[in-house]
Amino acid sequence: MCAPALAALTDAPWHDVQTVGDQSEYVLLIASAIEAATSVARVSLSGPRYFRSYCDKLASRISERYMTAIVQCKRISEIGAEQLLLDAQALKSVLLRVPSIGADDDAQPPPTYARIVAQGVGRIEALLKAILVPTDPADALVGRFLLLFPAAPRDVFRHVLSLKGVKPADHPAYLRVLQAHQRQTQLDKQSEVDKQSEVDKKDQLDKPSQITSDVPVAAVPSAYATPDPRSSSMPVHVTGRAPASAPLVSRTSAGRANEHSRFGSTAEHSAHLSPSTHHAGQSQTTFQSTTYANMPDPLGITSGPSASNEQCSDIDAQSPVLASLAANATATRTKINENLRKFMST
């Protein structure tokens, strides 16, 4: 379809072009061939879906063949490359009008089709822009080529050298410069990655300190606070079992008097027994008294009316639930003490 126009492009003396003018003759030939073929395709194809597929394939194929025709040129001067850039822009305009050829309205091309055209013509323009750069110094040519082709394809770079008139014997020198630039680019990228990773690590290390300083620490209730060994007061432990550091049962003076009276009556009662029995009973009484005196409170609440009242008032200030638990614990402690007294008095 476009073979004669592309052949005219390849055979043109682009190294002898002196000025940049209007679009070339071969662009008009390509545009007329595309318009004729597209008009037939719109009538022949059964639906818009197939016509859209035709447009996509046409744009991709024309761009590839146009690129091949440029590569097959003998030599292109810098002014010739500028003229070919102008022709490439004209070809892009022709391709963007393809979906509206033969249609009732001149609508905008679909985004997918416009992207295909932009990519195909973009590669052509990148090749021609690389040809515009002088060969001396080589670093300038290589640097421009890497900006236009980040992947740095060696075959495309050889085409650029050939189209600029560089002899094949001089290609290895330019390729070595290209390789050195690629290596330096990789080192720069790795350095950037390392710096970014160090910044991320520093942010991760600084993050816990920021959280600790920003988040307020919740106030701990006094009932659950760790007891101060220098203080005589002890926090109330409302738990199922007494803690390891629970205080021993304190006895008031009235309680001690009652216990002495009970122990004395027990000793008088045991005086009528035999000496061995009396000795055993006295030992048993002493053991029971010592055990009762050193027995810890099962619920961790200090006995005694004054201590109980102080602790209950402290708990009432904390929470009604704790006050209820403390009241139940006090009642349970009272029952346990009564049972112990009954057992010891028998």
Side-chain angles (χ1 to χ4, degrees):
M1 178 177 65
C2 299
L6 295 175
L9 185 156
T10 302
D11 296 337
W14 297 108
H15 58 283
D16 291 335
V17 177
Q18 300 297 327
T19 58
V20 178
D22 199 2
Q23 61 186 13
S24 304
E25 291 285 337
Y26 72 91
V27 178
L28 299 176
L29 295 176
I30 293 175
S32 61
I34 289 176
E35 184 176 359
T38 304
S39 299
V40 175
R42 180 177 287 277
V43 176
S44 302
L45 297 176
S46 58
R49 176 182 175 184
Y50 298 101
F51 180 74
R52 181 177 297 178
S53 177
Y54 160 80
C55 294
D56 295 344
K57 292 180 179 179
L58 176 67
S60 179
R61 195 67 171 285
I62 292 296
S63 300
E64 291 176 359
R65 295 189 64 181
Y66 192 90
M67 184 78 164
T68 303
I70 292 176
V71 171
Q72 291 176 352
C73 294
K74 294 180 180 180
R75 185 183 172 187
I76 301 175
S77 63
E78 295 179 6
I79 299 177
E82 292 179 1
Q83 180 63 47
L84 286 172
L85 276 173
L86 181 65
D87 295 342
Q89 288 294 326
L91 178 65
K92 183 177 181 180
S93 300
V94 171
L95 293 176
L96 289 176
R97 291 197 303 267
V98 168
S100 61
I101 294 176
D104 298 335
D105 54 347
D106 191 8
Q108 294 292 329
T112 304
Y113 176 79
R115 192 178 306 112
I116 293 173
V117 173
Q119 290 177 355
V121 179
R123 287 191 291 269
I124 298 170
E125 292 176 347
L127 177 66
L128 295 173
K129 289 177 181 179
I131 297 173
L132 284 173
V133 182
T135 56
D136 190 19
D139 291 335
L141 176 61
V142 171
R144 183 64 174 174
F145 179 78
L146 289 175
L147 290 176
L148 297 171
F149 297 93
R154 299 295 182 89
D155 55 344
V156 177
F157 188 65
R158 290 191 181 94
H159 290 324
V160 171
L161 295 176
S162 298
L163 292 173
K164 290 187 68 63
V166 178
K167 297 179 180 179
D170 297 334
H171 287 188
Y174 287 91
L175 290 174
R176 284 192 295 270
V177 176
L178 176 63
Q179 187 176 1
H181 276 257
Q182 283 182 296
R183 189 181 301 108
Q184 185 63 37
T185 302
Q186 292 176 356
L187 292 176
D188 294 340
K189 289 182 179 179
Q190 186 63 35
S191 177
E192 292 294 331
V193 171
D194 294 341
K195 289 181 180 179
Q196 186 63 33
S197 62
E198 290 179 0
V199 171
D200 295 341
K201 289 180 181 178
K202 181 181 279 187
D203 293 341
Q204 291 178 359
L205 292 175
D206 295 342
K207 187 179 270 188
S209 61
Q210 293 176 359
I211 293 176
T212 304
S213 60
D214 295 340
V215 178
V217 179
V220 180
S222 60
Y224 299 97
T226 303
D228 188 358
R230 297 172 295 179
S231 176
S232 59
S233 61
M234 212 53 171
V236 179
H237 299 276
V238 185
T239 56
R241 57 182 179 180
S245 60
L248 297 178
V249 178
S250 63
R251 296 179 296 167
T252 60
S253 59
R256 294 193 187 95
N258 293 333
E259 290 175 4
H260 284 303
S261 63
R262 289 197 304 273
F263 296 156
S265 61
T266 303
E268 292 175 359
H269 176 72
S270 61
H272 300 284
L273 301 176
S274 60
S276 60
T277 306
H278 174 75
H279 179 72
Q282 185 177 3
S283 300
Q284 183 178 4
T285 302
T286 306
F287 173 74
Q288 290 177 352
S289 175
T290 305
T291 303
Y292 176 71
N294 298 330
M295 180 180 295
D297 192 343
L299 296 177
I301 300 178
T302 307
S303 64
S306 59
S308 177
N309 294 334
E310 293 176 358
Q311 291 170 355
C312 289
S313 62
D314 185 25
I315 291 174
D316 290 337
Q318 292 293 330
S319 173
V321 177
L322 294 179
S324 176
L325 292 174
N328 293 336
T330 304
T332 304
R333 177 183 53 77
T334 303
K335 291 181 180 180
I336 293 174
N337 292 337
E338 290 177 358
N339 292 334
L340 289 174
R341 292 189 188 96
K342 291 178 182 181
F343 176 77
M344 293 171 59
S345 62
T346 55

Tab-separated table of all heavy atoms in Angstrom, residues 147-170:
chain	number	residue	atom	x	y	z
A	147	LEU	N	19.515	9.452	26.972
A	147	LEU	CA	18.292	10.161	27.359
A	147	LEU	C	17.117	9.774	26.469
A	147	LEU	O	15.973	9.670	26.939
A	147	LEU	CB	18.522	11.676	27.295
A	147	LEU	CG	19.450	12.274	28.358
A	147	LEU	CD1	19.650	13.763	28.095
A	147	LEU	CD2	18.884	12.048	29.750
A	148	LEU	N	17.386	9.566	25.197
A	148	LEU	CA	16.321	9.208	24.267
A	148	LEU	C	15.964	7.729	24.334
A	148	LEU	O	14.797	7.355	24.139
A	148	LEU	CB	16.741	9.573	22.838
A	148	LEU	CG	16.964	11.065	22.579
A	148	LEU	CD1	17.600	11.279	21.200
A	148	LEU	CD2	15.646	11.824	22.670
A	149	PHE	N	16.959	6.888	24.601
A	149	PHE	CA	16.758	5.433	24.687
A	149	PHE	C	17.354	4.947	26.015
A	149	PHE	O	18.518	4.539	26.060
A	149	PHE	CB	17.424	4.712	23.509
A	149	PHE	CG	16.861	5.067	22.169
A	149	PHE	CD1	17.426	6.096	21.419
A	149	PHE	CD2	15.778	4.379	21.656
A	149	PHE	CE1	16.916	6.428	20.180
A	149	PHE	CE2	15.251	4.706	20.413
A	149	PHE	CZ	15.818	5.739	19.678
A	150	PRO	N	16.600	5.009	27.109
A	150	PRO	CA	17.147	4.586	28.413
A	150	PRO	C	17.630	3.147	28.431
A	150	PRO	O	18.576	2.819	29.164
A	150	PRO	CB	15.967	4.793	29.369
A	150	PRO	CG	15.108	5.816	28.691
A	150	PRO	CD	15.240	5.535	27.234
A	151	ALA	N	17.009	2.271	27.642
A	151	ALA	CA	17.448	0.873	27.600
A	151	ALA	C	18.763	0.704	26.860
A	151	ALA	O	19.400	-0.357	26.973
A	151	ALA	CB	16.372	-0.002	26.957
A	152	ALA	N	19.182	1.714	26.097
A	152	ALA	CA	20.451	1.701	25.363
A	152	ALA	C	20.614	0.476	24.481
A	152	ALA	O	21.573	-0.293	24.617
A	152	ALA	CB	21.632	1.812	26.321
A	153	PRO	N	19.719	0.248	23.508
A	153	PRO	CA	19.893	-0.891	22.593
A	153	PRO	C	21.102	-0.673	21.677
A	153	PRO	O	21.230	0.371	21.028
A	153	PRO	CB	18.573	-0.918	21.816
A	153	PRO	CG	18.026	0.461	21.927
A	153	PRO	CD	18.491	1.010	23.225
A	154	ARG	N	21.972	-1.676	21.642
A	154	ARG	CA	23.202	-1.542	20.847
A	154	ARG	C	22.915	-1.446	19.353
A	154	ARG	O	23.603	-0.711	18.628
A	154	ARG	CB	24.113	-2.749	21.111
A	154	ARG	CG	24.554	-2.900	22.562
A	154	ARG	CD	25.424	-1.743	22.988
A	154	ARG	NE	25.896	-1.875	24.342
A	154	ARG	CZ	27.026	-2.495	24.676
A	154	ARG	NH1	27.777	-3.054	23.746
A	154	ARG	NH2	27.405	-2.550	25.933
A	155	ASP	N	21.927	-2.193	18.855
A	155	ASP	CA	21.647	-2.163	17.420
A	155	ASP	C	21.152	-0.786	16.980
A	155	ASP	O	21.537	-0.270	15.915
A	155	ASP	CB	20.629	-3.243	17.057
A	155	ASP	CG	19.353	-3.126	17.887
A	155	ASP	OD1	19.378	-2.422	18.921
A	155	ASP	OD2	18.330	-3.740	17.517
A	156	VAL	N	20.330	-0.137	17.787
A	156	VAL	CA	19.852	1.204	17.442
A	156	VAL	C	21.016	2.191	17.470
A	156	VAL	O	21.111	3.094	16.619
A	156	VAL	CB	18.733	1.632	18.411
A	156	VAL	CG1	18.279	3.062	18.108
A	156	VAL	CG2	17.550	0.674	18.325
A	157	PHE	N	21.918	2.027	18.456
A	157	PHE	CA	23.074	2.926	18.528
A	157	PHE	C	23.971	2.758	17.301
A	157	PHE	O	24.506	3.746	16.766
A	157	PHE	CB	23.866	2.655	19.800
A	157	PHE	CG	24.959	3.642	20.051
A	157	PHE	CD1	24.671	4.980	20.301
A	157	PHE	CD2	26.290	3.256	20.027
A	157	PHE	CE1	25.693	5.902	20.537
A	157	PHE	CE2	27.310	4.164	20.269
A	157	PHE	CZ	27.006	5.488	20.517
A	158	ARG	N	24.121	1.544	16.817
A	158	ARG	CA	24.910	1.316	15.590
A	158	ARG	C	24.227	1.957	14.388
A	158	ARG	O	24.898	2.513	13.496
A	158	ARG	CB	25.107	-0.185	15.362
A	158	ARG	CG	26.048	-0.847	16.361
A	158	ARG	CD	26.383	-2.250	15.905
A	158	ARG	NE	27.270	-2.927	16.839
A	158	ARG	CZ	26.844	-3.729	17.815
A	158	ARG	NH1	25.526	-3.953	17.958
A	158	ARG	NH2	27.703	-4.308	18.628
A	159	HIS	N	22.901	1.898	14.325
A	159	HIS	CA	22.170	2.550	13.226
A	159	HIS	C	22.403	4.058	13.258
A	159	HIS	O	22.589	4.688	12.198
A	159	HIS	CB	20.674	2.249	13.322
A	159	HIS	CG	20.324	0.828	13.016
A	159	HIS	ND1	20.975	0.085	12.061
A	159	HIS	CD2	19.362	-0.003	13.552
A	159	HIS	CE1	20.452	-1.140	11.997
A	159	HIS	NE2	19.473	-1.209	12.897
A	160	VAL	N	22.396	4.637	14.456
A	160	VAL	CA	22.630	6.077	14.573
A	160	VAL	C	24.030	6.426	14.062
A	160	VAL	O	24.217	7.401	13.301
A	160	VAL	CB	22.451	6.524	16.045
A	160	VAL	CG1	22.902	7.977	16.222
A	160	VAL	CG2	20.997	6.373	16.467
A	161	LEU	N	25.024	5.631	14.445
A	161	LEU	CA	26.386	5.890	13.979
A	161	LEU	C	26.497	5.753	12.461
A	161	LEU	O	27.167	6.576	11.794
A	161	LEU	CB	27.360	4.930	14.672
A	161	LEU	CG	27.505	5.096	16.191
A	161	LEU	CD1	28.432	4.008	16.747
A	161	LEU	CD2	28.022	6.483	16.550
A	162	SER	N	25.844	4.730	11.933
A	162	SER	CA	25.917	4.532	10.476
A	162	SER	C	25.235	5.663	9.726
A	162	SER	O	25.747	6.141	8.689
A	162	SER	CB	25.284	3.185	10.111
A	162	SER	OG	25.989	2.120	10.726
A	163	LEU	N	24.058	6.084	10.206
A	163	LEU	CA	23.333	7.161	9.527
A	163	LEU	C	24.066	8.495	9.634
A	163	LEU	O	23.890	9.379	8.778
A	163	LEU	CB	21.926	7.286	10.110
A	163	LEU	CG	20.981	6.110	9.809
A	163	LEU	CD1	19.674	6.259	10.581
A	163	LEU	CD2	20.707	6.004	8.301
A	164	LYS	N	24.896	8.659	10.655
A	164	LYS	CA	25.668	9.890	10.791
A	164	LYS	C	26.985	9.834	10.014
A	164	LYS	O	27.741	10.818	10.001
A	164	LYS	CB	25.956	10.169	12.277
A	164	LYS	CG	24.707	10.576	13.053
A	164	LYS	CD	25.054	10.996	14.446
A	164	LYS	CE	25.837	12.298	14.440
A	164	LYS	NZ	25.079	13.452	13.882
A	165	GLY	N	27.265	8.702	9.393
A	165	GLY	CA	28.463	8.592	8.569
A	165	GLY	C	29.695	8.146	9.327
A	165	GLY	O	30.816	8.278	8.813
A	166	VAL	N	29.570	7.605	10.520
A	166	VAL	CA	30.724	7.095	11.270
A	166	VAL	C	31.146	5.760	10.664
A	166	VAL	O	30.311	4.884	10.400
A	166	VAL	CB	30.381	6.930	12.771
A	166	VAL	CG1	31.570	6.357	13.532
A	166	VAL	CG2	29.955	8.268	13.359
A	167	LYS	N	32.448	5.578	10.411
A	167	LYS	CA	32.948	4.355	9.803
A	167	LYS	C	32.777	3.171	10.759
A	167	LYS	O	32.876	3.340	11.990
A	167	LYS	CB	34.424	4.516	9.435
A	167	LYS	CG	34.678	5.604	8.396
A	167	LYS	CD	36.157	5.722	8.089
A	167	LYS	CE	36.417	6.801	7.055
A	167	LYS	NZ	37.858	6.952	6.741
A	168	PRO	N	32.524	1.978	10.227
A	168	PRO	CA	32.361	0.801	11.098
A	168	PRO	C	33.581	0.524	11.973
A	168	PRO	O	33.436	-0.020	13.072
A	168	PRO	CB	32.122	-0.338	10.103
A	168	PRO	CG	31.556	0.325	8.893
A	168	PRO	CD	32.231	1.660	8.818
A	169	ALA	N	34.785	0.900	11.518
A	169	ALA	CA	35.976	0.667	12.332
A	169	ALA	C	35.990	1.529	13.589
A	169	ALA	O	36.667	1.179	14.578
A	169	ALA	CB	37.232	0.940	11.499
A	170	ASP	N	35.263	2.649	13.563
A	170	ASP	CA	35.228	3.534	14.721
A	170	ASP	C	34.071	3.221	15.674
A	170	ASP	O	33.959	3.854	16.730
A	170	ASP	CB	35.117	5.001	14.275
A	170	ASP	CG	36.344	5.438	13.471
A	170	ASP	OD1	37.425	4.836	13.681
A	170	ASP	OD2	36.211	6.358	12.644
